[in-house]
Amino acid sequence: MVWMIELEYQDRGTPRFALDPFEDSPSPSNNFGFSRGYWVDPARQPRSGQQTTRKKIPDIFPLPGLNAVRQRFKDLVEEFEPGVHQFMPLVLRDKDGKQIDDQFYVFNCTVSFDAILVREMGLEPVQEGKEPPDYHFYSHNKIFVSRPRIEGHHLWMGHHLRPVGTWVFISDELHSEMKNRKIRYFKEEHPDVLDVPWRAEEQIKPILDWEASHPVEQWTAASRIEKELKGSGARSSAGAA
């Protein structure tokens, strides 16, 4: 079994924070929601912020363009995949300016690979201008995932194939432990898992053909980074099996 989780945005229940500007680093890059799927530069992420409401602060919650998680979420993730994902320290203050007594982080899942079976979902690629073909679908669509492809993984994002949003896939084991430890709050969906191998030539051939006929500069960011990492001899999280 597998689950997908995403940030929960609720006007009544979401704690709101204003992020502090910082001038001693490159321009901020605060636009990846719950995760990017590949490494980001920590120097370009915010380091602190102050709450603008007095609402209760859960374990997982949205910031402007980003997310924040508590220490216990980090501890749990590292039990399953130690040292794999990014947790960038974040100091948060309450509305009165007092530092909140817990350690917070901006979280980024750094593993991305394709496991969604678009052929079995009956999806056809859509070509829009000069962009690579895309398969448009949403979390509420019936999503099929390849069991052989996800075996051994606990937390990842799609690479070429992603539901609209910044959904992160998690294993049933990790999901169960999040529930047991009452780690809150997040949206969740439950894809179907099929005993079907995931083969790129069967599932995303139009995307592969497009990339083969276009310069790397026109590829998606995830594809460009994967190619750069492979070219440098570094191990890429994108496409990891």
Side-chain angles (χ1 to χ4, degrees):
M1 296 175 67
V2 65
W3 293 80
M4 302 189 317
I5 62 174
E6 169 65 299
L7 293 172
E8 181 70 79
Y9 297 92
Q10 293 183 347
D11 289 339
R12 291 178 296 174
T14 301
R16 297 187 178 277
F17 283 84
L19 297 173
D20 296 331
F22 53 97
E23 303 297 336
D24 61 334
S25 297
S27 58
S29 174
N30 58 345
N31 59 354
F32 60 79
F34 199 21
S35 276
R36 179 62 58 81
Y38 48 85
W39 185 87
V40 301
D41 185 353
R44 299 182 63 197
Q45 312 312 317
R47 303 164 187 165
S48 59
Q50 182 164 336
Q51 192 171 11
T52 60
T53 70
R54 298 189 187 279
K55 295 178 181 177
K56 182 179 179 181
I57 302 174
D59 301 302
I60 301 170
F61 55 96
L63 296 176
L66 289 167
N67 70 82
V69 300
R70 287 186 182 267
Q71 179 70 45
R72 64 199 210 100
F73 176 76
K74 177 180 185 292
D75 292 342
L76 175 57
V77 168
E78 301 246 304
E79 288 179 22
F80 282 82
E81 294 183 341
V84 173
H85 307 286
Q86 286 183 287
F87 290 90
M88 293 161 275
L90 186 68
V91 175
L92 296 180
R93 306 181 302 276
D94 64 21
K95 190 174 182 181
D96 297 324
K98 181 181 178 182
Q99 183 172 333
I100 300 171
D101 188 20
D102 199 354
Q103 178 62 62
F104 295 90
Y105 303 89
V106 174
F107 163 69
N108 180 39
C109 168
T110 62
V111 175
S112 64
F113 61 91
D114 288 318
I116 295 174
L117 298 162
V118 290
R119 188 180 65 172
E120 281 68 19
M121 291 171 61
L123 293 179
E124 296 292 335
V126 177
Q127 180 78 45
E128 295 179 346
K130 296 182 179 180
E131 298 297 320
D134 193 11
Y135 292 82
H136 294 310
F137 60 101
Y138 297 84
S139 61
H140 57 73
N141 295 131
K142 183 53 97 175
I143 295 175
F144 298 134
V145 175
S146 165
R147 189 188 310 277
R149 181 66 165 155
I150 66 174
E151 185 176 357
H153 290 279
H154 291 288
L155 200 149
W156 72 95
M157 296 188 74
H159 181 50
H160 294 96
L161 304 172
R162 296 186 178 188
V164 172
T166 56
W167 292 85
V168 174
F169 292 87
I170 64 173
S171 67
D172 192 49
E173 296 90 343
L174 178 54
H175 178 267
S176 295
E177 198 57 36
M178 289 175 68
K179 293 292 188 180
N180 290 339
R181 302 189 192 186
K182 295 182 171 55
I183 292 179
R184 300 167 176 157
Y185 284 100
F186 51 87
K187 294 189 295 183
E188 61 182 23
E189 297 288 345
H190 186 32
D192 283 354
V193 181
L194 304 181
D195 291 318
V196 176
W198 193 91
R199 299 185 177 93
E201 287 294 326
E202 296 176 356
Q203 300 293 339
I204 59 167
K205 189 175 188 305
I207 298 177
L208 299 179
D209 290 344
W210 186 95
E211 289 183 347
S213 61
H214 287 74
V216 175
E217 292 74 18
Q218 295 182 20
W219 294 10
T220 63
S223 292
R224 292 198 308 271
I225 290 172
E226 178 186 12
K227 184 176 179 61
E228 290 169 4
L229 289 172
K230 287 181 177 178
S232 67
R235 184 180 182 276
S236 170
S237 61

